[in-house]
Structures are given as structure tokens and as C-alpha cells.
């Protein structure tokens, strides 16, 4: 981002105060560190709001500037919060202009996707009545609440999975996304899903249903219900998915002790015959 940008170049590439080489420069990283007696450097924090998510350095202010342009957003703050697995993710805190017309996560995500790269689009959107402030009037980022897993989704009324396939998929999503429940109208991305979790989800789906499932199917299906319908295009014969789902549910409901007893009985029966 420094090519043909002399102002940013001068701000970041500063003269080296301890070098005897003419024109030598140091790069101002924006990291707050301290030099230890043994010569190592300890990282303390950032001097700005730049964050690192999934290997990408992201300037939170850029995301906030774009999100603030949404017609229904009054104020917003973007921060990094760990998910249930401890992985960093972008979380957007939004104060709507009108309490009766607050934009849902899907609308905000779609708005940002048209203007920003995928890695800069927040995984979670949290609606707030007001942003927490410090005594000095600045946003108190430490006081921002942790996202509520049950508050994520499409904003529609919760509808429980109905078919065995939907129930198995909901169980996979719950495990991968570390949420308590998933309805048929819930969206993988709205629940905090991202590319890394999507790969885990598809891997689990392949393992359960014993068939090759492209990763794009998860992103092209807006809801759990639509994903269950999309998977039917990959089954070798009609009804196979439902049969596998029923068997999977039956096996999963059996305790380890019951399963071991069943195996012992079958071995004894084979040995007797």
C-alpha cells in the first residue's frame, strides 16, 4: 500500500537514528513492545487498531468506515474476539439509527461483501443500544460484550430441524461452530462460520454421508434447510441421505457400553455357529 503513496511512506519508513548509512530507514510497525535485558523483544499490544485474523493484517478502521456508510447504521465498532475454539474473528458492534428498523446480520454482511475482501468482512454482528464509552468519551473496547451464540442467525423465528438429514447437519454445525442450537433458517456465516470452519464442516459432512461434497455447496446454500436440499444432488440414489442420517442418529444414540455388548454378542454368535 506504499507504492506511489509518499505520505504513508514517510509516516512508516522513518530515518534510522543509529545508522551511519545515508538514507537508511526503519519501518514503523505500529507494535508496542519492550526490550528485555536478554536482548529479546516482548510484544505488548498495538498502537493502532490493526488486527491479525487468519493470517491477514486488517485495519479495523477501514471496516468501520465502510460499515458506517450503511443507511441503517448510526455507529459501529469492529474488534477481534476469540470464538469458542480460541480462534480470532472479526466482530462488528452496530448501533442502528432506528430501533424499529435494525438491519440483520445477513443484510450487513451482504453490504460489506460488495465493497471489501472476504477476510475483512466480520464473522459476527452484534446490535447495541449504544457503544460503551470511557470517561474521556472514547469507545471503551474492553467493555464491548462477548457475542451471544444464540443471538446470531438470520433474525427469523427459530424452527427446529425436521428431517434426519437436517438434524444431522444441525448437529455438525453445533459441534463446528460451538453453538447450542441451529434452526433450519440459520445461515452458516451468520452463526460465525468462516473458511477454516467451513472446511471442518464439509469434512464432517463427507465422513458422515460417505460422499464427495464440494466446499462451495456450503457457501452457496443460504440456510441449513437449503443445504440439506442441495446435498440431494450428490447422493447416488434417491433416499440414500435419509437412510444414512437415520443410521447415524441410531448409532450416535447408543451408549458405548451397549455397543460393546452388541459386539460381544455377535462375536459369541459367530463363534457358536
Amino acid at each position: 500500500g506504499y507504492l506511489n503513496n509518499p505520505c504513508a511512506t514517510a509516516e512508516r519508513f522513518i530515518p534510522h537514528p543509529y545508522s551511519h548509512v545515508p538514507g537508511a530507514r526503519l519501518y514503523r510497525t505500529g507494535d508496542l513492545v519492550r526490550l528485555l535485558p536478554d536482548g529479546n523483544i516482548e510484544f505488548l499490544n498495538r498502537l493502532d487498531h490493526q488486527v491479525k485474523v487468519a493470517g491477514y493484517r486488517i485495519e479495523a478502521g477501514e471496516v468501520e468506515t465502510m460499515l458506517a456508510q450503511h443507511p441503517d447504521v448510526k455507529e459501529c465498532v469492529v474488534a477481534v474476539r476469540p470464538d469458542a475454539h480460541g480462534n480470532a474473528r472479526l466482530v462488528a458492534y452496530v448501533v442502528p439509527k432506528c430501533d424499529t428498523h435494525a438491519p440483520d446480520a445477513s443484510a450487513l454482511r451482504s453490504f460489506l461483501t460488495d465493497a471489501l475482501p472476504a477476510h475483512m468482512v466480520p464473522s459476527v454482528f452484534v446490535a447495541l443500544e449504544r457503544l460503551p464509552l470511557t470517561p474521556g468519551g472514547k469507545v471503551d473496547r474492553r467493555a464491548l460484550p462477548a457475542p451471544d451464540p444464540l443471538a446470531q442467525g438470520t433474525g427469523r423465528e427459530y424452527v427446529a430441524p425436521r428431517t434426519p438429514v437436517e438434524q444431522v447437519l444441525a448437529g455438525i454445525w453445533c459441534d463446528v461452530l460451538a453453538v447450542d442450537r441451529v434452526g433450519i433458517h440459520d445461515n452458516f456465516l451468520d452463526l460465525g462460520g468462516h473458511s477454516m470452519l467451513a472446511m471442518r464442516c464439509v469434512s464432517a459432512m463427507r465422513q458422515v454421508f460417505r460422499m464427495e461434497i464440494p466446499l462451495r455447496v456450503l457457501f452457496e446454500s443460504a440456510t441449513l434447510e437449503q443445504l440439506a436440499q442441495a446435498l440431494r444432488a450428490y447422493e447416488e440414489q434417491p433416499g440414500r441421505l435419509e437412510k444414512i442420517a437415520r443410521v447415524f442418529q441410531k448409532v450416535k444414540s447408543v451408549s458405548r457400553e451397549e455397543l460393546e455388548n452388541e459386539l460381544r454378542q455377535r462375536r459369541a454368535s459367530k463363534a457358536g455357529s
Side-chain angles (χ1 to χ4, degrees):
Y2 298 107
L3 182 62
N4 299 323
N5 192 339
C7 292
T9 301
E11 179 185 1
R12 289 293 183 176
F13 293 87
I14 62 175
H16 195 320
Y18 306 110
S19 175
H20 299 291
V21 178
R25 291 287 188 272
L26 291 177
Y27 177 67
R28 189 190 301 274
T29 66
D31 296 320
L32 178 64
V33 302
R34 68 177 177 180
L35 183 64
L36 302 179
D38 60 4
N40 285 316
I41 293 178
E42 180 184 6
F43 173 82
L44 299 177
N45 209 330
R46 291 286 302 177
L47 293 172
D48 53 22
H49 297 307
Q50 189 182 89
V51 296
K52 192 171 184 179
V53 178
Y56 293 97
R57 282 195 176 274
I58 301 171
E59 181 60 55
E62 293 183 24
V63 185
E64 293 170 356
T65 299
M66 186 57 60
L67 184 57
Q69 295 180 22
H70 191 283
D72 295 328
V73 173
K74 179 180 179 181
E75 295 178 291
C76 63
V77 170
V78 174
V80 170
R81 299 295 295 257
D83 60 16
H85 304 283
N87 300 316
R89 62 177 176 176
L90 280 182
V91 177
Y93 296 88
V94 177
V95 177
K97 287 184 178 179
C98 179
D99 295 337
T100 59
H101 187 62
D104 60 26
S106 297
L108 294 175
R109 178 174 288 105
S110 178
F111 177 80
L112 291 179
T113 301
D114 292 338
L116 297 174
H119 65 270
M120 294 182 68
V121 178
S123 300
V124 180
F125 294 84
V126 180
L128 299 176
E129 292 184 2
R130 63 182 63 86
L131 296 177
L133 302 178
T134 64
K138 296 183 178 180
V139 176
D140 188 353
R141 293 177 178 268
R142 294 183 179 182
L144 292 170
D148 181 3
L150 294 180
Q152 305 305 313
T154 61
R156 301 178 184 176
E157 182 181 357
Y158 171 77
V159 178
R162 304 152 300 182
T163 68
V165 173
E166 290 177 351
Q167 292 165 1
V168 170
L169 290 176
I172 293 174
W173 284 23
C174 286
D175 292 339
V176 172
L177 299 171
V179 295
D180 294 331
R181 71 178 189 183
V182 174
I184 63 172
H185 298 311
D186 284 334
N187 183 294
F188 184 80
L189 297 177
D190 291 343
L191 290 173
H194 49 71
S195 57
M196 296 297 292
L197 293 179
M199 287 189 284
R200 290 182 53 190
C201 184
V202 170
S203 177
M205 289 160 52
R206 291 169 179 167
Q207 190 173 14
V208 170
F209 294 112
R210 301 297 179 183
M211 63 184 189
E212 189 61 28
I213 302 172
L215 181 63
R216 60 179 173 79
V217 175
L218 182 60
F219 291 104
E220 291 175 352
S221 304
T223 63
L224 180 79
E225 180 183 27
Q226 293 180 8
L227 176 62
Q229 295 173 352
L231 291 184
R232 300 187 189 283
Y234 298 91
E235 60 181 349
E236 297 175 355
Q237 48 188 269
R240 182 175 180 270
L241 282 175
E242 293 293 334
K243 292 178 182 179
I244 293 177
R246 290 193 185 96
V247 171
F248 179 80
Q249 288 178 312
K250 185 176 181 180
V251 172
K252 196 172 182 180
S253 64
V254 176
S255 66
R256 183 180 182 86
E257 183 179 354
E258 291 174 329
L259 188 59
E260 290 176 348
N261 290 335
E262 178 69 19
L263 290 175
R264 280 196 293 267
Q265 291 176 6
R266 292 191 177 187
R267 289 173 187 151
S269 176
K270 289 182 179 180
S273 60

